[in-house]
Amino acid sequence: MTETSWTEIDRLWEKLEKALLTPIRAFRLRYLPLLMVYFAYGALGIITIAESFWIKSSLTLTPSELAALSVWLTLPWTIKMVFGELVDAVPIFGSQRQSYVVIGGVLVALGLLTLAGAAGGWFTFAPPDDLYRIGSFLSVVGVVLQDVAADAMSAEVVDRENPDGSPRAPKDINRDLAMVQVLGRLALSLGLVVVAGLGGWLASVFSYTTVFLCGLVIPAISVSGALLVQIDSSETRPVDWRILGGGLAFGAGVLAMAIGGVPYSQEIVFVVSMAVVSAMLWRVVGDLDRQIQKTVFYAVIIIFAFRATPLVGQGYTWFTIEILGFDEAFQGTLNQIGALLALIGTWLFSDSITGRPIPVVLFWLTIVATILSLPSLALTLGISGWTEATFGFGARTIAIIDTAASSPFLQLSMIPLLTLCAIYAPQKRRATWFALMGSLMNLALVAAALQTKYLNQVFVIDRGAYESLPLLLGAVMAIGLVVPLTAILLFGKKLESGESARPHSG
């Protein structure tokens, strides 16, 4: 080989080595509590397969009703400002971080116990469908509370000063803030990897009740991380009652509408949520530089559009179970492959993704996601019968290839947004800032869930009735391509021009 060839090989090796070692070198012991929270969030997927099969076999909820339920279950994420204000300004037993992680873990545990009681017939005070709703809601609230505390810590654990007390360079601070977000995504992905195959195996061997009880180890992990390392913030400030009081009033209104069965309650709550969260976010960022406000505004529009794309819903999962014969063990295998490759993809791309503009990253993720949805559409059209007769492989092989190809891109879309949030997090309002930004982003998921509900009402899917599934999946793919690309093309350049002036977080 020529000297030039060896030089190119050395350069490629250096890049690979940097990609592999950068997350390891970035780790600090003080990051451990928040990383264990993110790990536990991913590991909560240990119950996912058992939950899907239990819903299909034992509950009466239709895909449309499940999509509607997902709207309500997403709403706790949209009132994160309440949790954020509590974490920022209301210590419990003298703790502003640790106590909230513990309380969140207790709520997750109660949710899992409720699901176990419903599946095992222990609880008779409500029908299984309602117990599922209660258990899911408790778990979601617990996860949101822990997530708010972890988000606040992610902006606090990075040093702003050198060992000698001199200020660090803004670019070094921003780089560390980005790597904390990368490590958080890696921790979440690792949690998914650890339990993906295990969840399928447990669901195929043990009762669904036993699987839900096994899930109790997950909140124990997040709580133990908070107890092992000192994580409480020294930053304190008075309660902002306009945010806390307004958030509590908003939450009470949402609960009343959900219980009261008000017509179009989900749509009303979504519109009111957008207004409330936007007003509160404006209050928090009102004293920032005008250019920074514009940059955040453009980022919010693009990310909102990217996340507000509908899903197919439970109908496709039921199709793979009934028609394609994907049992619990194989579903676990798919989850294992997907989680592992998502972890590897996040790890290898972490060094380069943190330096890429948000519009560029999301543009290519949108294109790739659409292309990689084609095998799923082909499966609903019955292509597996033709491939098995012609090439000797069927639905399971197609599903494995599709999962392997698409999984590395699953976690990457969150890194630029979370980095942006960390960079602009104001002092003494870090949890509130992250909570409001998270609330706005999760309102996009509410919009996605509403669209999922509408599409499932137009293209009706039920147990054993999957004729409309190809049309449903095709509509989802079209919306998922057109909406994000439109926002990126309209606002991408404006965001990139604003990014050049971004400051470090003080």
Side-chain angles (χ1 to χ4, degrees):
M1 297 180 65
T2 65
E3 183 176 346
T4 302
S5 298
W6 282 113
T7 301
E8 290 299 321
I9 291 174
D10 288 340
R11 288 176 180 173
L12 289 173
W13 176 252
E14 288 176 2
K15 290 181 179 180
L16 179 60
E17 183 181 29
K18 185 179 181 182
L20 290 172
L21 297 181
T22 294
I24 297 174
R25 291 168 176 163
F27 175 78
R28 303 289 184 272
L29 182 60
R30 60 181 176 274
Y31 301 171
L32 185 62
L34 67 95
L35 296 182
M36 291 183 72
V37 169
Y38 291 136
F39 174 86
Y41 184 16
L44 196 58
I46 194 172
I47 69 166
T48 300
I49 294 175
E51 181 181 354
S52 295
F53 278 79
W54 174 57
I55 290 171
K56 182 180 180 298
S57 63
S58 302
L59 302 186
T60 62
L61 297 170
T62 66
S64 178
E65 290 170 336
L66 289 168
L69 175 60
S70 71
V71 175
W72 294 119
L73 294 180
T74 305
L75 286 173
W77 291 96
T78 70
I79 58 169
K80 285 178 68 176
M81 78 292 287
V82 176
F83 303 108
E85 186 65 23
L86 290 171
V87 170
D88 267 343
V90 184
I92 297 179
F93 300 114
S95 168
Q96 287 181 261
R97 301 289 184 264
Q98 191 176 66
S99 58
Y100 287 101
V101 174
V102 173
I103 293 171
V106 171
L107 289 173
V108 173
L110 289 174
L112 292 170
L113 286 172
T114 302
L115 294 181
W122 310 338
F123 301 150
T124 57
F125 64 86
D129 286 6
D130 290 339
L131 289 173
Y132 171 66
R133 294 184 176 98
I134 294 170
S136 299
F137 180 77
L138 288 171
S139 295
V140 167
V141 172
V143 169
V144 172
L145 188 57
Q146 290 191 328
D147 187 69
V148 169
D151 284 345
M153 288 186 280
S154 71
E156 295 168 341
V157 294
V158 172
D159 292 325
R160 266 63 177 184
E161 297 179 346
N162 294 309
D164 61 3
S166 60
R168 296 182 65 201
K171 66 176 183 178
D172 294 334
I173 295 175
N174 292 348
R175 174 68 172 176
D176 284 354
L177 289 170
M179 286 310 303
V180 171
Q181 301 306 326
V182 169
L183 290 171
R185 295 302 97 188
L186 288 173
L188 189 151
S189 297
L190 181 60
L192 290 168
V193 168
V194 169
V195 305
L198 178 62
W201 178 78
L202 289 173
S204 65
V205 174
F206 298 101
S207 67
Y208 301 138
T209 301
T210 300
V211 177
F212 294 141
L213 292 176
C214 289
L216 291 172
V217 72
I218 306 306
I221 292 173
S222 60
V223 170
S224 64
L227 298 179
L228 286 173
V229 181
Q230 178 61 36
I231 58 175
D232 281 309
S233 172
S234 59
E235 297 179 353
T236 59
R237 63 171 175 82
V239 175
D240 188 332
W241 285 105
R242 279 174 289 188
I243 290 181
L244 181 58
L248 289 173
F250 170 68
V254 169
L255 183 62
M257 295 187 72
I259 295 175
V262 178
Y264 301 104
S265 57
Q266 293 179 334
E267 290 77 5
I268 294 171
V269 167
F270 172 71
V271 173
V272 174
S273 299
M274 284 294 297
V276 171
V277 173
S278 297
M280 290 184 175
L281 184 61
W282 178 252
R283 171 172 170 74
V284 172
V285 304
D287 56 352
L288 295 179
D289 180 80
R290 183 70 174 174
Q291 184 59 49
I292 299 174
Q293 292 175 355
K294 288 183 178 179
T295 302
V296 173
F297 175 72
Y298 297 140
V300 164
I301 291 178
I302 292 174
I303 302 296
F304 190 94
F306 184 82
R307 303 194 75 193
T309 53
L311 301 174
V312 179
Q314 283 290 319
Y316 182 77
T317 301
W318 294 356
F319 168 78
T320 63
I321 294 171
E322 276 192 33
I323 307 302
L324 302 183
F326 293 180
D327 57 16
E328 295 95 331
F330 184 69
Q331 295 278 8
T333 299
L334 287 179
N335 286 355
Q336 186 82 61
I337 293 170
L340 179 60
L341 292 178
L343 172 63
I344 294 172
T346 305
W347 190 297
L348 293 180
F349 287 108
S350 63
D351 186 59
S352 59
I353 201 73
T354 53
R356 303 288 182 182
I358 292 174
V360 173
V361 173
L362 297 185
F363 177 87
W364 287 111
L365 286 176
T366 301
I367 298 295
V368 170
T370 302
I371 293 173
L372 295 178
S373 298
L374 292 175
S376 297
L377 178 61
L379 285 175
T380 65
L381 294 171
I383 195 174
S384 58
W386 175 77
T387 58
E388 190 160 17
T390 307
F391 302 108
F393 64 85
R396 294 198 173 202
T397 301
I398 294 173
I400 289 174
I401 295 172
D402 178 42
T403 300
S406 60
S407 297
F409 302 95
L410 297 179
Q411 293 293 335
L412 294 178
S413 62
M414 287 301 296
I415 293 174
L417 171 63
L418 294 174
T419 300
L420 187 67
C421 291
I423 288 172
Y424 297 137
Q427 278 188 324
K428 300 185 179 181
R429 290 180 177 268
R430 301 190 200 279
T432 305
W433 167 270
F434 266 100
L436 284 170
M437 288 295 288
S439 295
L440 202 57
M441 294 306 100
N442 284 293
L443 275 171
L445 297 183
V446 176
L450 286 171
Q451 293 175 78
T452 302
K453 179 182 74 170
Y454 300 148
L455 289 172
N456 273 270
Q457 290 172 349
V458 173
F459 305 104
V460 179
I461 310 295
D462 206 346
R463 296 163 179 83
Y466 304 109
E467 295 81 8
S468 299
L469 188 55
L471 294 174
L472 172 61
L473 187 52
V476 168
M477 290 172 59
I479 296 172
L481 176 66
V482 173
V483 173
L485 289 187
T486 301
I488 291 168
L489 293 175
L490 287 176
F491 300 104
K493 290 294 183 182
K494 296 179 181 180
L495 176 60
E496 289 185 43
S497 62
E499 280 284 281
S500 60
R502 70 186 188 181
H504 71 90
S505 175

